[in-house]
Amino acid sequence: MADKKFFVTTPIYYISGNPHIGHLYTTTAADIMARYHSLQGSKVLFTTGSDENSQKVVQAAEKQGVSVTEYVNKEAEKWKQYFAQFHIQYTRFIRTTDQDHLDVVQSFLMQLKEKGFIYKGNYEGWYCVDCESFWTDKEVEDGICPDCHRSIRRVSEENYFFRLSAFQDQLIQFYHDNPTAIEPLSRYNEVISMISGGLRDISISRHSQEWGIRFPFDSEHVLWVWFDALLNYITVCGYREDPTSFSYWWPADCHLMSKDIIRFHCVIWPAMLMALDIQPAKKVYVHGWWLTDGEKMSKSKGNIVDPTKVIEELSNVAGISKSLSADVLRWFMFRETTFGEDAVFSMQRLLDRYNYDLANDLGNLIHRVSSMAKQYTQGNVPEGTLIDDEKCQFQNFIEQYTACMTENRFKDAIETTWTLLRKCNKMIEEYKPWELAKKEDIQPLFDLLYTLLEGIRCAGIMLIPFMPVFSQLVLDSFVEQKENQLNLGILRTHQALAFPPVFFPRVKKTTKSEKKNEETPKESPKDEVYCTIDEFSKFDFRVAQIIDAQKHPNADKLLVLKVQVGEHQKQIVAGIAKYYEPQDLIGKKVVIVNNLQPVTLRGEKSEGMVLCASHKDHLSIVSPENVDMVCGARVK
Ligand code: MSP
């Protein structure tokens, strides 16, 4: 087996509904990591799948009038095809109805029971079928689920419990010893406070249920779907069937997910493993949400962006294949978002980026260089050498890219690739090949062309994780060179080039669907009251980091924020409670007015103002584009 290995997982999805951009985002992120690590020479295990033992599938099957088995078989197939459309290359799509998974779950339960971590008791509380979550009386108001806000049922039954409370100290110790086990840091802190707040034993069975995995020692009880689902991560690497494989792959390098399910993955899951002396995963990487109107996009709310429709529309307006359109969407999702932060999808934005970055920077460069090769070197790679790195800086770009990919900074990795592409375009302007071609010594022209082609080849490799189909087309255009190495100067001379004439035709019109949705706020001339630079300089705008956020005790619309500004901390009361949950703000960098006259708002001191953009019913906090900007930095 190879020395280097990488094991990445996505959550296994509830398949009772169509996949949307949120599911695609996580799965593509895992695919990007898998492809990158594979390019680096690692052996890769990348798993995704379907969470099929839930009550939701029973309800959905009933609605369609088919058996549950028939229903899950059909839906799982649909999800697999959906991922294939987006070029997702997982190693395994696990279904929790797979036989090896059932075996793992039952053996795991037996061992927990033998070790005394499972006991029988009475459960009195609430259960939400949509979230598949248990809730206490304290958490539920008026019979409404605190998470999805739908009506939920009160349950009173004999259940099996897992002794979660026994793992509080061990969990704290684990996270203390492994401070990068949850990223970003704000989520790590959130989990630490969840655990420090005290852990109660959890109910892990349902009594009056038909569908699901039965307890091996009590066939009247069905296992709580989350307990079964989490175990998929060890099924996929051979926990019961293949101990050699299991000890090779486990612990997983990265569990990917969005912030809604960290309690399950960062508290319950590691405790389950600790109970059997198995190490927890090396890292849980938590990304943000795709939002619609400030809310998490989800199929149950019906506010989803359907990626299949997006690529259909793109393919129509741009005149490119659906397969290439799928690549564009993959690339766009990570070009647009800082991994870890929330994002809003806009078709118009996608088309703008398509025009600027793909049609202009990338497409034009390839077109120009391939035309030059046709004109000056019969369409072949010339006998040239790479221009001095001080001038072209390719080595520097490759190193930056590698650092970004290693740290999952996908947006920065894409940005670095574009810096390289733009550098190539700039070199054409600076070196003026059309003038070099008139000179007697043709070598400088050949060196330039060789360098530009090497730039394109490297960019092709750098884009493999994001745009695998496009990259393959680019790399196949170097007819004789089949290896994908990101080493400079290995481009083989004299080989033929076969670039397609146009990769990304420019899109001319705004799409209809966007025109409806994207009304720009009008700036009326009378709003234009000028201020002098002296007046402006009186304001002290600073970057600050939110270190705590609470609901205002006396006002529904207000949040009380504690922010760090340089070495100081201050309190700011902000009218953003309608748009942000307090826990989602912790760790966020914002821009504040630092020298605003302090006031008291409904009894709470406010020593500044958080800047927000607002339009109609939308509100968005203003943040520094680079999340690493230091707290206290002046904004001017
Ligand atoms: N079945 C459980 C997971 C069990 S894993 C042991 C589940 N399924 S889910 O279908 O609801 O998928 C949740 C995951 O889908 C999120 O953690 C995230 O990865 C992805 N997304 C779903 N909606 C999302 C957004 N709106 N935005 C970004 N990703 C989100 O929970």
Side-chain angles (χ1 to χ4, degrees):
M1 294 214 185
D3 303 326
K4 286 202 289 180
K5 64 185 167 76
F6 185 72
F7 175 16
V8 59
T9 68
T10 75
I12 48 171
Y13 303 108
Y14 294 128
I15 49 172
S16 50
N18 289 330
H20 61 67
I21 198 168
H23 308 112
L24 181 64
Y25 186 67
T26 318
T27 318
T28 309
D31 191 60
I32 288 169
M33 290 182 182
R35 285 177 190 268
Y36 176 71
H37 284 272
S38 175
L39 277 173
Q40 294 293 305
S42 295
K43 198 170 151 66
V44 168
L45 178 61
F46 157 28
T47 64
T48 186
S50 49
D51 191 350
E52 299 185 3
N53 295 315
S54 72
Q55 276 306 287
K56 289 184 220 223
V57 294
V58 179
Q59 293 173 347
E62 267 167 19
K63 247 193 201 166
Q64 290 192 7
V66 294
S67 74
V68 186
T69 306
E70 207 178 317
Y71 177 80
V72 290
N73 287 346
K74 193 176 79 206
E75 293 303 305
E77 219 30 63
K78 189 167 92 187
W79 279 65
K80 282 187 196 171
Q81 281 169 15
Y82 168 84
F83 286 144
Q85 216 185 337
F86 291 93
H87 320 309
I88 305 292
Q89 271 182 352
Y90 47 76
T91 323
R92 173 162 176 195
F93 185 98
I94 180 174
R95 299 180 50 189
T96 49
T97 46
D98 288 341
Q99 188 57 48
D100 60 346
H101 182 64
L102 303 186
D103 294 344
V104 165
V105 173
Q106 299 211 330
S107 129
F108 204 90
L109 285 174
M110 283 304 288
Q111 293 177 71
L112 285 181
K113 175 105 188 346
E114 277 156 23
K115 290 191 153 212
F117 289 119
I118 291 184
Y119 64 92
K120 219 173 193 180
N122 281 321
Y123 179 73
E124 282 275 345
W126 299 83
Y127 191 77
C128 174
V129 172
D130 285 286
C131 303
E132 301 287 5
S133 293
F134 292 94
W135 299 103
T136 60
D137 283 335
K138 256 200 207 153
E139 290 162 325
V140 175
E141 240 177 77
D142 302 329
I144 299 294
C145 169
D147 201 5
C148 71
H149 309 298
R150 273 173 290 204
S151 309
I152 55 176
R153 279 195 299 130
R154 209 183 142 72
V155 190
S156 167
E157 59 185 33
E158 193 174 55
N159 273 183
Y160 283 97
F161 284 78
F162 170 61
R163 279 190 209 285
L164 182 63
S165 59
F167 296 94
Q168 179 159 351
D169 295 344
Q170 211 176 325
L171 283 167
I172 291 282
Q173 189 61 48
F174 172 75
Y175 287 121
H176 180 264
D177 296 344
N178 298 279
T180 56
I182 304 170
E183 282 189 292
L185 182 62
S186 53
R187 300 292 159 207
Y188 173 89
N189 291 335
E190 196 181 325
V191 170
I192 295 294
S193 70
M194 268 179 212
I195 303 171
S196 316
L199 297 180
R200 281 179 295 114
D201 293 349
I202 52 168
S203 162
I204 57 161
S205 72
R206 305 300 320 281
H207 192 235
S208 49
Q209 217 171 271
E210 282 299 310
W211 183 253
I213 301 184
R214 304 230 154 253
F215 276 65
F217 43 85
D218 187 342
S219 63
E220 285 197 1
H221 287 261
V222 162
L223 184 60
W224 173 43
V225 65
W226 264 102
F227 213 77
D228 130 35
L230 290 162
L231 288 167
N232 95 83
Y233 299 129
I234 57 170
T235 304
V236 289
C237 54
Y239 174 63
R240 222 176 101 80
E241 278 192 341
D242 188 348
T244 317
S245 159
F246 181 68
S247 58
Y248 178 74
W249 288 111
W250 193 260
D253 292 275
C254 183
H255 285 327
L256 270 174
M257 70 205 61
S258 67
K259 55 195 172 185
D260 42 340
I261 53 176
I262 57 175
R263 188 172 69 94
F264 303 100
H265 283 84
C266 303
V267 182
I268 300 176
W269 177 225
M272 286 164 68
L273 292 165
M274 284 168 178
L276 295 196
D277 300 318
I278 304 172
Q279 256 181 289
K282 289 184 202 154
K283 191 182 295 294
V284 170
Y285 202 101
V286 187
H287 64 72
W289 280 334
W290 284 90
L291 305 174
T292 311
D293 298 335
E295 274 203 327
K296 182 190 169 212
M297 190 184 292
S298 78
K299 52 200 173 209
S300 49
K301 289 182 193 138
N303 58 1
I304 63 163
V305 170
D306 178 351
T308 337
K309 297 226 171 81
V310 172
I311 60 169
E312 256 163 39
E313 185 164 356
L314 177 62
S315 166
N316 282 339
V317 291
I320 56 172
S321 67
K322 281 210 192 128
S323 171
L324 209 50
S325 303
D327 260 20
V328 174
L329 179 57
R330 286 174 61 114
W331 161 84
F332 175 73
M333 290 191 296
F334 294 92
R335 159 75 183 76
E336 275 303 279
T337 53
T338 302
F339 203 50
E341 312 234 322
D342 290 345
V344 177
F345 181 81
S346 149
M347 189 69 195
Q348 186 56 50
R349 180 95 184 133
L350 187 157
L351 295 179
D352 288 346
R353 292 263 62 101
Y354 170 93
N355 272 346
Y356 296 140
D357 293 354
L358 299 180
N360 280 4
D361 293 337
L362 177 57
N364 271 352
L365 175 69
I366 296 178
H367 182 67
R368 287 164 98 183
V369 174
S370 118
S371 307
M372 277 161 61
K374 277 189 198 131
Q375 196 176 347
Y376 305 127
T377 62
Q378 292 90 42
N380 293 320
V381 178
E383 180 82 56
T385 47
L386 207 62
I387 290 176
D388 191 354
D389 201 59
E390 266 184 26
K391 293 190 183 123
C392 73
Q393 293 174 28
F394 287 178
Q395 188 55 38
N396 179 19
F397 298 141
I398 291 176
E399 281 163 20
Q400 271 182 39
Y401 167 87
T402 311
C404 296
M405 290 303 285
T406 316
E407 292 160 21
N408 304 326
R409 288 188 289 119
F410 300 142
K411 182 180 181 171
D412 295 342
I414 293 176
E415 190 50 57
T416 307
T417 312
W418 255 258
T419 317
L420 182 152
L421 294 169
R422 287 192 202 110
K423 178 76 191 172
C424 289
N425 276 321
K426 214 160 147 214
M427 278 164 61
I428 299 180
E429 307 306 327
E430 280 170 10
Y431 286 75
K432 301 187 176 54
W434 52 94
E435 285 184 7
L436 293 179
K438 290 184 204 148
K439 302 228 158 110
E440 209 170 296
D441 179 7
I442 208 69
Q443 199 53 46
L445 174 69
F446 282 4
D447 290 347
L448 173 68
L449 191 49
Y450 182 89
T451 305
L452 295 171
L453 285 163
E454 187 61 319
I456 292 175
R457 190 185 67 84
C458 287
I461 298 172
M462 288 153 97
L463 287 174
I464 289 177
F466 302 97
M467 308 175 84
V469 169
F470 164 78
S471 295
Q472 204 51 55
L473 288 174
V474 170
L475 296 170
D476 283 349
S477 304
F478 296 91
V479 173
E480 286 163 29
Q481 192 153 17
K482 293 294 163 232
E483 75 275 13
N484 292 336
Q485 284 173 40
L486 206 44
N487 294 341
L488 283 173
I490 62 161
L491 175 64
R492 265 186 247 153
T493 56
H494 301 298
Q495 63 174 315
L497 296 165
F499 289 108
V502 185
F503 276 106
F504 300 112
R506 273 187 77 79
V507 172
K508 292 197 184 64
K509 277 181 277 162
T510 311
T511 61
K512 275 191 222 133
S513 62
E514 267 322 291
K515 271 195 175 146
K516 262 192 296 171
N517 294 335
E518 292 218 338
E519 258 178 66
T520 21
K522 307 259 179 312
E523 245 184 278
S524 71
K526 68 172 184 295
D527 288 344
E528 274 177 22
V529 177
Y530 295 107
C531 79
T532 66
I533 194 78
D534 285 346
E535 283 167 329
F536 176 77
S537 63
K538 283 186 197 153
F539 290 100
D540 184 22
F541 295 108
R542 299 282 174 157
V543 171
Q545 185 164 31
I546 301 179
I547 50 175
D548 187 35
Q550 306 285 341
K551 295 199 162 136
H552 192 296
N554 310 316
D556 291 350
K557 291 189 178 151
L558 302 178
L559 294 184
V560 182
L561 311 174
K562 292 247 170 5
V563 298
Q564 184 80 38
V565 200
E567 289 176 348
H568 305 285
Q569 288 184 2
K570 52 168 57 184
Q571 176 165 298
I572 297 181
V573 176
I576 57 174
K578 187 171 155 200
Y579 306 95
Y580 291 94
E581 286 301 320
Q583 70 270 20
D584 293 341
L585 291 171
I586 296 168
K588 214 174 181 58
K589 298 249 174 89
V590 296
V591 176
I592 63 162
V593 186
N594 195 32
N595 59 343
L596 207 61
Q597 175 92 49
V599 287
T600 302
L601 294 170
R602 302 267 185 119
E604 288 290 345
K605 192 163 66 164
S606 184
E607 304 164 293
M609 182 195 276
V610 175
L611 294 191
C612 296
S614 90
H615 174 52
K616 294 194 167 164
D617 201 27
H618 301 261
L619 182 135
S620 168
I621 284 178
V622 175
S623 291
E625 193 264 337
N626 181 344
V627 289
D628 294 326
M629 181 50 74
V630 292
C631 292
R634 189 181 276 275
V635 179
K636 48 190 180 180

